[in-house]
mmCIF file of all heavy atoms in Angstrom:
data_model
loop_
_atom_site.group_PDB
_atom_site.id
_atom_site.type_symbol
_atom_site.label_atom_id
_atom_site.label_comp_id
_atom_site.label_asym_id
_atom_site.label_seq_id
_atom_site.Cartn_x
_atom_site.Cartn_y
_atom_site.Cartn_z
ATOM 1 N N VAL A 752 22.076 -18.513 -27.912
ATOM 2 C CA VAL A 752 20.984 -18.296 -26.948
ATOM 3 C C VAL A 752 21.538 -17.854 -25.636
ATOM 4 O O VAL A 752 22.457 -18.565 -25.067
ATOM 5 C CB VAL A 752 20.092 -19.518 -26.770
ATOM 6 C CG1 VAL A 752 18.953 -19.228 -25.796
ATOM 7 C CG2 VAL A 752 19.534 -19.994 -28.097
ATOM 8 N N GLY A 753 21.077 -16.767 -25.092
ATOM 9 C CA GLY A 753 21.487 -16.273 -23.738
ATOM 10 C C GLY A 753 20.275 -16.240 -22.838
ATOM 11 O O GLY A 753 19.140 -16.339 -23.279
ATOM 12 N N ILE A 754 20.604 -16.102 -21.558
ATOM 13 C CA ILE A 754 19.527 -16.033 -20.539
ATOM 14 C C ILE A 754 20.075 -15.222 -19.367
ATOM 15 O O ILE A 754 21.301 -15.304 -19.055
ATOM 16 C CB ILE A 754 19.066 -17.415 -20.132
ATOM 17 C CG1 ILE A 754 17.839 -17.334 -19.202
ATOM 18 C CG2 ILE A 754 20.170 -18.237 -19.468
ATOM 19 C CD1 ILE A 754 17.155 -18.671 -18.919
ATOM 20 N N TYR A 755 19.191 -14.469 -18.651
ATOM 21 C CA TYR A 755 19.663 -13.743 -17.487
ATOM 22 C C TYR A 755 18.479 -13.542 -16.595
ATOM 23 O O TYR A 755 17.336 -13.554 -16.924
ATOM 24 C CB TYR A 755 20.361 -12.393 -17.837
ATOM 25 C CG TYR A 755 19.400 -11.306 -18.258
ATOM 26 C CD1 TYR A 755 19.142 -10.252 -17.438
ATOM 27 C CD2 TYR A 755 18.883 -11.256 -19.576
ATOM 28 C CE1 TYR A 755 18.361 -9.189 -17.837
ATOM 29 C CE2 TYR A 755 18.108 -10.217 -19.969
ATOM 30 C CZ TYR A 755 17.799 -9.180 -19.115
ATOM 31 O OH TYR A 755 16.991 -8.127 -19.527
ATOM 32 N N GLY A 756 18.814 -13.296 -15.281
ATOM 33 C CA GLY A 756 17.752 -12.989 -14.280
ATOM 34 C C GLY A 756 18.439 -12.750 -12.943
ATOM 35 O O GLY A 756 19.593 -12.960 -12.713
ATOM 36 N N HIS A 757 17.581 -12.258 -11.991
ATOM 37 C CA HIS A 757 18.050 -11.914 -10.657
ATOM 38 C C HIS A 757 17.176 -12.581 -9.621
ATOM 39 O O HIS A 757 15.970 -12.798 -9.830
ATOM 40 C CB HIS A 757 17.984 -10.374 -10.514
ATOM 41 C CG HIS A 757 18.646 -9.864 -9.309
ATOM 42 N ND1 HIS A 757 20.006 -9.603 -9.275
ATOM 43 C CD2 HIS A 757 18.201 -9.535 -8.081
ATOM 44 C CE1 HIS A 757 20.344 -9.160 -8.088
ATOM 45 N NE2 HIS A 757 19.233 -9.096 -7.315
ATOM 46 N N SER A 758 17.788 -12.975 -8.524
ATOM 47 C CA SER A 758 17.059 -13.616 -7.425
ATOM 48 C C SER A 758 16.532 -15.008 -7.933
ATOM 49 O O SER A 758 17.300 -15.865 -8.343
ATOM 50 C CB SER A 758 15.950 -12.750 -6.874
ATOM 51 O OG SER A 758 15.449 -13.203 -5.676
ATOM 52 N N GLY A 759 15.194 -15.168 -7.956
ATOM 53 C CA GLY A 759 14.698 -16.393 -8.573
ATOM 54 C C GLY A 759 15.151 -16.542 -9.986
ATOM 55 O O GLY A 759 15.315 -17.656 -10.504
ATOM 56 N N GLY A 760 15.291 -15.399 -10.655
ATOM 57 C CA GLY A 760 15.820 -15.429 -12.032
ATOM 58 C C GLY A 760 17.278 -15.816 -12.109
ATOM 59 O O GLY A 760 17.722 -16.423 -13.128
ATOM 60 N N GLY A 761 18.049 -15.516 -11.018
ATOM 61 C CA GLY A 761 19.427 -15.969 -10.974
ATOM 62 C C GLY A 761 19.479 -17.462 -10.802
ATOM 63 O O GLY A 761 20.306 -18.184 -11.408
ATOM 64 N N PHE A 762 18.582 -17.999 -9.976
ATOM 65 C CA PHE A 762 18.417 -19.437 -9.778
ATOM 66 C C PHE A 762 18.061 -20.149 -11.109
ATOM 67 O O PHE A 762 18.687 -21.123 -11.535
ATOM 68 C CB PHE A 762 17.309 -19.690 -8.720
ATOM 69 C CG PHE A 762 16.850 -21.053 -8.552
ATOM 70 C CD1 PHE A 762 17.718 -22.138 -8.515
ATOM 71 C CD2 PHE A 762 15.495 -21.338 -8.375
ATOM 72 C CE1 PHE A 762 17.280 -23.428 -8.304
ATOM 73 C CE2 PHE A 762 15.023 -22.637 -8.195
ATOM 74 C CZ PHE A 762 15.903 -23.706 -8.130
ATOM 75 N N ALA A 763 17.092 -19.559 -11.817
ATOM 76 C CA ALA A 763 16.619 -20.176 -13.076
ATOM 77 C C ALA A 763 17.612 -20.101 -14.225
ATOM 78 O O ALA A 763 17.801 -21.053 -14.967
ATOM 79 C CB ALA A 763 15.297 -19.527 -13.501
ATOM 80 N N SER A 764 18.269 -18.940 -14.353
ATOM 81 C CA SER A 764 19.201 -18.806 -15.469
ATOM 82 C C SER A 764 20.465 -19.691 -15.275
ATOM 83 O O SER A 764 20.979 -20.229 -16.274
ATOM 84 C CB SER A 764 19.648 -17.291 -15.596
ATOM 85 O OG SER A 764 20.106 -16.773 -14.385
ATOM 86 N N THR A 765 20.866 -19.886 -14.058
ATOM 87 C CA THR A 765 21.954 -20.825 -13.792
ATOM 88 C C THR A 765 21.470 -22.259 -14.087
ATOM 89 O O THR A 765 22.195 -23.085 -14.703
ATOM 90 C CB THR A 765 22.461 -20.714 -12.328
ATOM 91 O OG1 THR A 765 22.971 -19.387 -12.155
ATOM 92 C CG2 THR A 765 23.540 -21.714 -12.087
ATOM 93 N N ALA A 766 20.258 -22.589 -13.652
ATOM 94 C CA ALA A 766 19.734 -23.908 -13.887
ATOM 95 C C ALA A 766 19.629 -24.146 -15.397
ATOM 96 O O ALA A 766 19.826 -25.313 -15.847
ATOM 97 C CB ALA A 766 18.311 -24.044 -13.268
ATOM 98 N N ALA A 767 19.351 -23.129 -16.168
ATOM 99 C CA ALA A 767 19.257 -23.283 -17.621
ATOM 100 C C ALA A 767 20.587 -23.774 -18.185
ATOM 101 O O ALA A 767 20.641 -24.655 -19.080
ATOM 102 C CB ALA A 767 18.845 -21.940 -18.282
ATOM 103 N N MET A 768 21.691 -23.229 -17.704
ATOM 104 C CA MET A 768 22.970 -23.649 -18.183
ATOM 105 C C MET A 768 23.385 -25.065 -17.762
ATOM 106 O O MET A 768 24.100 -25.776 -18.520
ATOM 107 C CB MET A 768 24.042 -22.673 -17.664
ATOM 108 C CG MET A 768 23.878 -21.218 -18.101
ATOM 109 S SD MET A 768 23.966 -20.984 -19.883
ATOM 110 C CE MET A 768 25.672 -21.358 -20.176
ATOM 111 N N PHE A 769 22.864 -25.481 -16.639
ATOM 112 C CA PHE A 769 23.195 -26.853 -16.142
ATOM 113 C C PHE A 769 22.262 -27.882 -16.689
ATOM 114 O O PHE A 769 22.654 -29.073 -16.877
ATOM 115 C CB PHE A 769 23.185 -26.865 -14.617
ATOM 116 C CG PHE A 769 24.120 -25.960 -13.958
ATOM 117 C CD1 PHE A 769 23.959 -25.615 -12.634
ATOM 118 C CD2 PHE A 769 25.224 -25.429 -14.639
ATOM 119 C CE1 PHE A 769 24.887 -24.755 -11.983
ATOM 120 C CE2 PHE A 769 26.123 -24.582 -14.018
ATOM 121 C CZ PHE A 769 25.958 -24.250 -12.663
ATOM 122 N N ARG A 770 20.972 -27.561 -16.914
ATOM 123 C CA ARG A 770 19.988 -28.549 -17.269
ATOM 124 C C ARG A 770 19.727 -28.562 -18.814
ATOM 125 O O ARG A 770 19.189 -29.568 -19.293
ATOM 126 C CB ARG A 770 18.696 -28.289 -16.499
ATOM 127 C CG ARG A 770 18.895 -28.399 -14.980
ATOM 128 C CD ARG A 770 17.597 -28.084 -14.219
ATOM 129 N NE ARG A 770 17.866 -28.000 -12.763
ATOM 130 C CZ ARG A 770 17.887 -28.983 -11.935
ATOM 131 N NH1 ARG A 770 17.707 -30.214 -12.416
ATOM 132 N NH2 ARG A 770 18.139 -28.812 -10.674
ATOM 133 N N TYR A 771 20.085 -27.494 -19.489
ATOM 134 C CA TYR A 771 19.969 -27.427 -20.949
ATOM 135 C C TYR A 771 21.291 -26.909 -21.523
ATOM 136 O O TYR A 771 21.287 -25.951 -22.244
ATOM 137 C CB TYR A 771 18.795 -26.543 -21.316
ATOM 138 C CG TYR A 771 17.482 -27.046 -20.844
ATOM 139 C CD1 TYR A 771 17.008 -26.699 -19.550
ATOM 140 C CD2 TYR A 771 16.685 -27.854 -21.647
ATOM 141 C CE1 TYR A 771 15.788 -27.155 -19.110
ATOM 142 C CE2 TYR A 771 15.448 -28.320 -21.193
ATOM 143 C CZ TYR A 771 15.022 -27.982 -19.920
ATOM 144 O OH TYR A 771 13.774 -28.467 -19.513
ATOM 145 N N PRO A 772 22.376 -27.633 -21.253
ATOM 146 C CA PRO A 772 23.711 -27.137 -21.672
ATOM 147 C C PRO A 772 23.887 -27.061 -23.215
ATOM 148 O O PRO A 772 24.754 -26.352 -23.674
ATOM 149 C CB PRO A 772 24.654 -28.109 -21.022
ATOM 150 C CG PRO A 772 23.848 -29.354 -20.902
ATOM 151 C CD PRO A 772 22.478 -28.899 -20.558
ATOM 152 N N ASP A 773 23.103 -27.791 -23.971
ATOM 153 C CA ASP A 773 23.237 -27.802 -25.408
ATOM 154 C C ASP A 773 22.326 -26.798 -26.062
ATOM 155 O O ASP A 773 22.370 -26.639 -27.292
ATOM 156 C CB ASP A 773 22.936 -29.230 -25.970
ATOM 157 C CG ASP A 773 23.948 -30.263 -25.504
ATOM 158 O OD1 ASP A 773 25.138 -29.910 -25.440
ATOM 159 O OD2 ASP A 773 23.526 -31.396 -25.169
#
Side-chain angles (χ1 to χ4, degrees):
V752 181
I754 188 170
Y755 75 105
H757 190 85
S758 193
F762 171 42
S764 52
T765 298
M768 299 299 291
F769 297 164
R770 299 178 188 276
Y771 297 87
D773 296 319

